[in-house]
Every structure is written in C-alpha cells, then in structure tokens.
Amino acid sequence: MKFFVDTADVAEIKDLASTGLLDGVTTNPSLMAKAGRPYLEVLREICEAVDGPVSAEVTATDVKAMLAEGRHLAKISDNIAVKVPLTVDGLKACKALSDEGTMVNVTLCFSAAQALLAAKAGATFISPFVGRLDDIGVDGMHLIAEIVEIYTNYDFATEVLVASIRGPAHVVEAAKMGADVATIPPAVLRQLYAHPLTDKGLAAFLADWEKTGQTILGDKSGAA
Ligand code: G3P
C-alpha cells in the first residue's frame, strides 16, 4: 500500500519524506489556501522534495479551462498528477489529459457509480472521501470495499486512493480491503507509529540495560 501525505506544507512534507516511507503527496485548493503562498511555487518545491505523484488540483469548472490549467500544472514536473473534480467536465478533462500521458487524480468521489465513470475515463487515481461520508452518517469504508470489488471485476488500472482520512483505523481498514493508496494528514501519519505498549516496553528495556553499566560500542569482548 502506498502512503501519500495530504498537505501543502512543504516543511511537513520534507520531514515526512525523510522517513523513506512517503510515496507521494496530495493537495487541494483548501490546503493551498492554508499554505498561504504562490500555488505554483509551492508545487515546484513539493515536486523537488518527493519522487512520487504530487496531486495539483485545477480550479476551473469547464472542460476547456480545466485542460488549460491542467496542462499548465503538468509542465511543472513529470510527477504532477492533475486533480479534477468528479463532474461531467472533470471527466472529459480526465480523458483528454490521460490520453496525453498526464496522470490524473479524480477527486470528490462519493459513490461507486462515480468511481466506475472515473475508471472508464482513464483516471490514474480515484479519490473517494471516506471521512466526509462518515461525517454525514454514511459508512465511508463501505464505499472503498465497493470500488475495490468493481475495479477488480474489470481489471481497471485506476488506483483506489483513499482520501479524507480521519485516523489510523481508516488506514488499516483501507489496507485490509486492498486499496492501492491512502492519502493521510501529517498528524495521522505520525499516529500510525504510536502504541503505549511500545513506549512502556522500550522504557523497561532501557532501564534494565542502564543497570548493567554497559554500552554496546564500548564492548570489545566479541569484536572481530
Ligand atoms: O485532499 C482531499 C481530502 O483528503 C480532503 O480531506 O479532511 O478535507 O475531508 P478532508
């Protein structure tokens, strides 16, 4: 399973990329607004910081303007995935950009029918928003199961990119269902490391080791 981080904060991205576990980045207009810096400058810095796909969303709503924006964004770097909304015009733009060899991430997916359309339009990624479905009392993870089943039935190449993740449980459920990618907020990515028994166990190991008065590098007894 690939891990993308869902942020436009370049410092966060660089820090998480240093773990070697980051496979890509997703941004959206809200995250870019939060970054409060010129859009293309931020994207360029993100593309330099990570090798994997970097999703950059268009803000136009008609196909002609979406294509112009998408082509402009795609020029920034080979790892840009142009993000388009799941609308009729968005899927027309998806088809055209995909045919040109540009990666496309179709976003704001809330139903299996929409995901089916995106795959037929040649999307590289489909982004179902699980947290926002949970927020309105609908089981977001059920949508992931449906999309994985449909894409498997027809061997679609479109990757299921689970978005709007709220906590580690969403990531684990997505992995159990065989989703290809999870785009995870930085705070949730850090939560994945944490378990109280790990902290407790490490503290006990170190306390016992301290009592021996030894250091591993200072021990020459078994050195070659
Ligand atoms: O980037 C798309 C998606 O992950 C947004 O999540 O938390 O705004 O619902 P959220």
Side-chain angles (χ1 to χ4, degrees):
M1 182 189 221
K2 286 178 251 186
F3 280 2
F4 290 1
V5 65
D6 198 26
T7 184
D9 182 328
V10 179
E12 281 275 31
I13 291 166
K14 285 184 179 165
D15 185 47
L16 290 163
S18 73
T19 64
L21 303 181
L22 195 61
D23 302 299
V25 176
T26 53
T27 66
N28 62 40
S30 303
L31 293 170
M32 282 294 180
K34 201 168 149 195
R37 297 178 45 211
Y39 190 17
L40 267 62
E41 181 181 293
V42 172
L43 286 171
R44 213 164 275 122
E45 288 177 21
I46 297 173
C47 288
E48 279 165 19
V50 296
D51 293 330
V54 174
S55 289
E57 191 158 342
V58 299
T59 55
T61 52
D62 71 278
V63 61
K64 199 168 161 226
M66 277 183 190
L67 284 173
E69 288 185 357
R71 286 171 185 142
H72 192 61
L73 292 169
K75 277 191 213 139
I76 295 173
S77 171
D78 285 346
N79 55 334
I80 286 283
V82 174
K83 212 170 175 188
V84 299
L86 210 152
T87 59
V88 174
D89 280 55
L91 291 191
K92 284 182 188 168
C94 172
K95 179 87 178 69
L97 291 167
S98 298
D99 287 349
E100 292 169 13
T102 298
M103 289 189 285
V104 181
N105 178 355
V106 177
T107 189
L108 291 165
C109 171
F110 294 96
S111 79
Q114 290 180 319
L116 181 54
L117 292 171
K120 286 181 68 68
T124 314
F125 304 104
I126 181 68
S127 290
F129 280 28
V130 295
R132 293 194 195 183
L133 281 171
D134 289 353
D135 291 345
I136 60 159
V138 177
D139 180 6
M141 293 313 299
H142 177 67
L143 174 58
I144 303 304
E146 285 187 304
I147 299 172
V148 169
E149 182 182 346
I150 291 167
Y151 283 11
T152 304
N153 285 348
Y154 295 97
D155 217 10
F156 281 124
T158 304
E159 295 188 34
V160 181
L161 191 166
V162 181
S164 185
I165 279 177
R166 298 281 193 258
H170 275 150
V171 180
V172 172
E173 281 305 304
K176 283 162 74 178
M177 289 173 182
D180 303 281
V181 191
T183 190
I184 311 171
V188 177
L189 249 173
R190 293 199 173 89
Q191 282 175 0
L192 295 180
Y193 287 89
H195 197 287
L197 290 180
T198 303
D199 298 340
K200 193 177 166 197
L202 182 60
F205 285 156
L206 294 181
D208 288 342
W209 177 246
E210 177 94 26
K211 287 180 214 151
T212 71
Q214 299 186 57
T215 66
I216 291 173
L217 294 179
D219 184 352
K220 308 292 181 207
S221 62

